[in-house]
Amino acid sequence: MEVAILGPLLLDREGGRIEIATPKERALLELLAARVGSLVGVGTLIEALWGEAPPASAIRTRHSHVSRLRRSLPAGVIATVPGGYRLDLPAEGVDAERLARLVASGRQALAGGDPRAARRHLREGLDLWRGDPLPDLVDTPLRSGLVARMEELRRSAEELRVDAELTLGRHAEVVGDVEVLVAEQPLREHRWAQLALALHRAGRRAEALDALQRARRRLREEHGLDPGAELRELEARVLRDDPALAPPDPLPPRSLPTPLTSFVGRDREVITVAKLLDEHRLVTLLGPGGVGKSRLALRVAGASGERRWPDGVWWVDLHPVHDRGGLTAALVRALEVTVPPGTSPRDALARFLRHRRLLLLLDGAERAVDVVAPVVGDLLVAAPGVGVLVTSRVPLGGPGEQRHRVPPLDLPGSAAELSDSEAGRLVLDRLAERGLDGGTPEERERLARLCRRVDGLPLALELVA
């Protein structure tokens, strides 16, 4: 079972959504979910349902509400314990607890030098927020304290996400977002620092200094305070145009295997496939085994820019996949998607991808093309920002598929053309890695003949070398 309290109450269990019609019962479940796994005392429960002046019938009525709520839920979910009640669910079954875990994971990933993972965790957490939390609880200090904790988690997630974006060099893209965050919480100094840094890195130095001055005026007018050390130090560094404030170098794409040998030739193919991928969301590289589909796909995906796919490029090996469940599991593993209790991997994957812009490289689809085709089709409909690059010996056959047949490497007509042909350069390159040069005329002639006999297939040329 899954309980969502970061907005209007939602209650899902295997088999569908459960509707809780009575406001008091919704409030009861919201309170138990906000303290999932912990004792909620009778007095606390009564305060949450009726406020600080409950009616004389509150004790009796409370029993009635608990009984009716239990009938709506799976057996044993609400436990009676000495002094009160407890919601017996894994913490991951409550969205507020998932948000707390995702914020912690995002902070840890950022501190560990993995801003892409941090951004992924934080976006997933922010996607859980749907509006005012715990809306059915009476407005008391109890509710205010619980809501304040959740809102602080959301604010931390927002700020950490911006820190991750800035680390990834996306300063120009986040300026507008940070302006909104500053307007919502003008006394949070770190947001002003983020805004000034983003503006400075975007080449808007005067505006960065103006933002810092606005922060100073706001703090003095509202609280009579001077800016803290973070803002003071940043202002000094902007004024002297500190080179350390320059944008970081773009990080390489994530989750792509690193080939152990160099990539040779294919210049026209790389340009052609990259152009197809810019214009279409599903591109399939076709060809027989050993023609170099995977290496070409990795080359194109590795050259894809952060601006095109801000949420990264992700490689998924389809060779072990035989059915739909196996494909979904492979995607979940590759993307490191968290599957909450009570949620199917398919739904968790769809939710994760819905608002992201990323490229999936699905390698080796021919063994399960009947499974891959419908899953990819569903995925592209559910996630409009996702692109898919597939390698396969046969087409997927889905709508919108753009097919590119990968040819063998071009061949040398003679020994003299060995170094000018793609096949010849590949063989010579691999020989050089082994300390051999194939330099005599006889050797070069034999190599040229071998290139032609294996029809320029890269895998065969590797074996030749």
Side-chain angles (χ1 to χ4, degrees):
M1 191 177 81
E2 185 174 346
V3 184
I5 56 177
L6 299 175
L9 177 68
L10 294 177
L11 178 59
D12 292 316
R13 62 178 296 184
E14 191 172 351
R17 178 156 295 172
I18 301 173
E19 299 294 337
I20 307 296
T22 306
K24 292 297 186 197
E25 291 170 28
R26 290 201 301 269
L28 171 60
L29 182 56
E30 288 169 7
L31 176 62
L32 292 171
R35 294 187 171 177
V36 60
S38 300
L39 166 69
V40 176
V42 171
T44 300
L45 191 151
I46 288 174
E47 178 186 345
L49 297 185
W50 288 281
E52 297 177 345
S57 61
I59 295 290
R60 184 180 70 255
T61 309
R62 175 257 308 176
H63 279 296
S64 175
H65 288 310
V66 172
S67 297
R68 284 200 298 268
L69 182 59
R70 275 186 169 138
R71 288 196 292 271
S72 301
L73 304 180
V77 170
I78 298 180
T80 300
V81 293
Y85 304 92
R86 183 182 64 235
L87 186 67
D88 277 346
L89 278 182
E92 282 289 301
V94 177
D95 59 351
E97 294 302 316
R98 290 205 303 278
L99 174 59
R101 182 190 59 76
L102 288 164
V103 169
S105 298
R107 182 179 281 110
Q108 184 178 4
L110 196 56
D114 192 351
R116 281 196 173 87
R119 179 176 61 184
R120 188 169 67 252
H121 293 312
L122 296 163
R123 283 184 174 178
E124 186 177 345
L126 290 168
D127 284 347
L128 298 172
W129 194 272
R130 298 172 295 106
D132 292 334
L134 310 173
D136 297 293
L137 266 61
V138 175
D139 193 11
T140 64
L142 170 65
R143 179 183 182 274
S144 298
L146 293 170
V147 170
R149 171 183 174 270
M150 297 172 191
E151 288 183 338
E152 181 58 29
L153 282 171
R154 177 173 66 98
R155 287 192 284 267
S156 296
E158 289 168 340
E159 291 171 10
L160 287 166
R161 182 191 69 82
V162 172
D163 285 337
E165 300 283 16
L166 290 171
T167 304
L168 289 165
R170 288 175 48 79
H171 36 273
E173 291 85 350
V174 300
V175 167
D177 292 343
V178 188
E179 286 277 17
V180 172
L181 295 179
V182 163
E184 290 176 351
Q185 296 285 327
L187 300 183
R188 291 178 75 94
E189 294 189 31
H190 186 57
R191 295 189 174 190
W192 287 104
Q194 290 175 324
L195 176 59
L197 180 60
L199 288 166
H200 179 71
R201 286 181 172 175
R204 299 159 65 178
R205 187 167 170 234
E207 293 175 69
L209 291 169
D210 178 67
L212 292 165
Q213 289 299 320
R214 282 191 284 143
R216 184 187 301 276
R217 287 194 300 271
R218 193 68 180 261
L219 290 167
R220 283 180 175 170
E221 290 171 3
E222 303 254 348
H223 289 280
L225 298 174
D226 287 326
E230 181 183 20
L231 291 181
R232 295 198 306 272
E233 180 183 349
L234 180 58
E235 185 174 26
R237 294 175 69 189
V238 171
L239 282 168
R240 68 173 182 266
D241 202 12
D242 186 346
L245 293 180
D249 293 330
L251 296 177
R254 274 288 311 276
S255 181
L256 294 178
T258 303
L260 298 178
T261 55
S262 60
F263 184 85
V264 176
R266 302 286 200 196
D267 295 340
R268 293 188 302 273
E269 302 297 318
V270 169
I271 293 171
T272 299
V273 176
K275 188 172 186 298
L276 282 173
L277 207 52
D278 279 340
E279 297 173 351
H280 305 280
R281 295 178 58 213
L282 174 59
V283 176
T284 302
L285 303 185
L286 298 168
V291 79
K293 302 182 297 294
S294 297
R295 286 299 299 268
L296 176 59
L298 286 171
R299 183 71 167 189
V300 172
S304 297
E306 171 76 15
R307 189 179 298 276
R308 179 72 176 89
W309 308 111
D311 293 307
V313 179
W314 303 85
W315 176 76
V316 184
D317 182 10
L318 299 184
H319 293 91
V321 169
H322 301 289
D323 55 31
R324 190 175 187 121
L327 175 55
T328 301
L331 290 166
V332 166
R333 282 194 304 272
L335 292 163
E336 302 173 20
V337 175
T338 299
V339 181
T343 300
S344 70
R346 181 180 176 183
D347 289 344
L349 180 65
R351 179 191 299 170
F352 176 84
L353 291 172
R354 188 175 301 135
H355 301 301
R356 285 175 168 79
R357 290 169 53 204
L358 56 81
L359 176 66
L360 288 173
L361 197 172
L362 307 183
D363 192 22
E366 62 275 352
R367 288 175 177 80
V369 68
D370 292 341
V371 172
V372 175
V375 171
V376 167
D378 292 346
L379 185 152
L380 291 172
V381 171
V386 170
V388 181
L389 178 62
V390 181
T391 70
S392 179
R393 298 183 190 183
V394 293
L396 297 190
E401 179 185 25
Q402 298 297 309
R403 303 167 187 173
H404 179 79
R405 188 159 294 278
V406 179
L409 300 177
D410 61 35
L411 300 170
S414 64
E417 297 174 3
L418 189 67
S419 299
D420 297 325
S421 68
E422 292 177 334
R425 291 204 309 274
L426 177 61
V427 171
L428 292 173
D429 191 72
R430 297 299 181 263
L431 289 174
E433 291 171 2
R434 294 161 175 78
L436 303 171
D437 59 12
T440 69
E442 293 80 7
E443 288 171 338
R444 295 177 75 85
E445 184 58 46
R446 284 200 299 272
L447 289 173
R449 285 201 303 271
L450 284 168
C451 288
R452 295 192 295 271
R453 288 188 66 180
V454 300
D455 297 323
L457 288 177
L459 179 58
L461 292 167
E462 299 275 357
L463 298 175
V464 165

